[in-house]
Amino acid sequence: MAYWLMKSEPESYSWDDLVRERETEWTGVRNPAAALHLKAMQVGDQALFYHSGKDKAAVGVMEITRTARQDGDLPRWVSVAVKPVAALARPVTLAAMKAEPGLAGMEMLRQSRLSVSPLRDTEWALLLAMGQGAP
């Protein structure tokens, strides 16, 4: 199983929207590196739902329920399907992530504009511990 971090502006699509809908298509990713990450996702992989914009915090855990398929007219852009697994007991803020030495190499911190990025097993475990939310 692989782990990911996926960003969404809560004004556009929030964790609460995902919980209410029970599943969604993660569309609209138009960055080549992020699209490659979507293409690498497998059913059963897990991802942190990260509120970007003003909130800047990981708020929940999602599961990938369908692998990549074309999103729009160009085959280079893809989407995956996700469902909520569990909310984190407390949000893990960007400030807390940056302050944690064990997360210094995290892709999202090194490439802050990337909307989909991989997480190492150790980063995943640390982020869940920080959010007190092991699903």
Side-chain angles (χ1 to χ4, degrees), residues 92-112:
V92 181
T93 66
L94 177 61
M97 290 177 194
K98 287 181 174 182
E100 173 52 56
L103 298 176
M106 195 167 87
E107 293 296 318
M108 196 254 323
L109 298 179
R110 295 182 332 103
Q111 297 180 21
S112 62

Side-chain angles (χ1 to χ4, degrees), residues 5 11 16 21 33 36 47 64-65 73 77 86 95 111 113 118-119:
L5 185 140
E11 299 81 24
D16 290 340
E21 293 176 8
L36 286 175
I64 309 306
T65 59
D73 295 334
W77 306 129
Q111 297 180 21
R113 297 196 46 88
L119 292 169

Side-chain angles (χ1 to χ4, degrees), residues 58-130:
V59 296
V61 176
M62 306 182 291
E63 182 177 323
I64 309 306
T65 59
R66 189 195 33 74
T67 57
R69 72 174 179 202
Q70 188 169 324
D71 178 22
D73 295 334
L74 299 175
R76 73 185 294 187
W77 306 129
V78 297
S79 64
V80 297
V82 298
K83 70 176 183 180
V85 173
L88 296 177
R90 66 173 193 212
V92 181
T93 66
L94 177 61
M97 290 177 194
K98 287 181 174 182
E100 173 52 56
L103 298 176
M106 195 167 87
E107 293 296 318
M108 196 254 323
L109 298 179
R110 295 182 332 103
Q111 297 180 21
S112 62
R113 297 196 46 88
L114 202 54
S115 62
V116 178
S117 58
L119 292 169
R120 294 169 189 86
D121 293 354
T122 54
E123 294 165 344
W124 177 261
L126 185 51
L127 287 162
L128 287 184
M130 291 169 72

